[in-house]
Amino acid sequence: MTESFSLLCTTRFDPCLEVFEWNNAPDGTPSPYLLLAYQLDRLVSSTHLSHWTVSDSFDYTALKNVCDEAVRKPTTGTLSMKTTNRQAYDDARARVGVPPLGAPRPRNITPNHLDDVILFNPSGAIMESSICNVAFYRHGRWLTPPLTVGCIPGVFRRWLLENGRIHEADGLSISLDTIENNEWVLVFNGVTGVSARASALR
């Protein structure tokens, strides 16, 4: 039996983004939505991968209209670009004591508390975190796992790659046995942007 799911898309709304030309809409007008054209590309690509039909009316303007409506009527509990089937991600978070997305933030936060978990495939290759793409500093460059290992083709990952801020790694060059405790990791997605975190081996 095929499990049903929906595609999800979340992006960052920030009027400050309108000053950056790299974030402009396809027609060149300023956009307050982070890389919305990339979000459209990935939604269309994911639709094709799912063998669904893409409506002729679904374009950048249609997606922007949906975003405009969401800004006027804010919602909570949104997810990064995953399908609605998040059980594998929630299970991975639970194994290291990280609450699922949308759960209340613990009151007694310690300096060493974990807020996400890094996932790896059966071959031991690092894929991503439960809500972000990742990159590790190797040989003088920030390297992100290739799509072939099973990571999500995040929109901010794409932007960082296209602008030379990160580079795609080869095969298993970023694997579980190459990560060191307290190693810096870049985490990024289309909502939070980029931040650096320290790894904690468990």
Side-chain angles (χ1 to χ4, degrees), residues 22-195:
W22 54 262
N23 194 63
N24 284 355
D27 64 1
T29 59
S31 171
Y33 302 109
L34 182 61
L35 301 175
L36 191 62
Y38 285 21
Q39 296 280 10
L40 175 64
D41 287 349
R42 194 169 65 167
L43 278 174
V44 172
S45 176
S46 297
T47 301
H48 290 318
L49 287 173
S50 301
H51 304 292
W52 298 343
T53 301
V54 181
S55 171
D56 292 337
S57 63
F58 184 65
D59 56 12
Y60 183 90
T61 299
L63 182 58
K64 179 181 179 299
N65 289 341
V66 172
C67 291
D68 288 343
E69 180 67 18
V71 169
R72 288 194 292 269
K73 297 179 180 179
T75 57
T76 59
T78 56
L79 303 174
S80 293
M81 179 66 79
K82 313 282 186 182
T83 69
T84 49
N85 180 6
R86 286 193 53 83
Q87 192 61 51
Y89 302 98
D90 290 340
D91 289 347
R93 292 170 71 95
R95 284 194 290 270
V96 295
V98 178
L101 289 176
R105 184 179 177 85
R107 292 184 177 181
N108 299 320
I109 298 294
T110 64
N112 296 320
H113 84 283
L114 302 179
D115 58 6
D116 202 353
V117 59
I118 292 177
L119 310 178
F120 58 94
N121 68 16
S123 298
I126 298 300
M127 297 190 298
E128 59 197 353
S129 83
S130 66
I131 57 173
C132 294
N133 286 113
V134 298
F136 293 83
Y137 198 69
R138 298 284 189 274
H139 312 296
R141 303 190 301 173
W142 286 102
L143 299 180
T144 191
L147 297 180
T148 53
V149 302
C151 67
I152 293 294
V155 297
F156 214 78
R157 174 187 184 275
R158 174 182 163 186
W159 187 89
L160 291 170
L161 285 168
E162 289 183 355
N163 287 273
R165 309 299 176 85
I166 63 173
H167 305 273
E168 197 167 72
D170 296 327
L172 296 175
S173 60
I174 303 180
S175 59
L176 190 61
D177 59 4
T178 67
I179 298 179
E180 298 181 1
N181 201 39
N182 290 321
E183 178 179 3
W184 286 110
V185 184
L186 287 186
V187 296
F188 38 91
N189 64 34
V191 175
T192 61
V194 183
S195 61

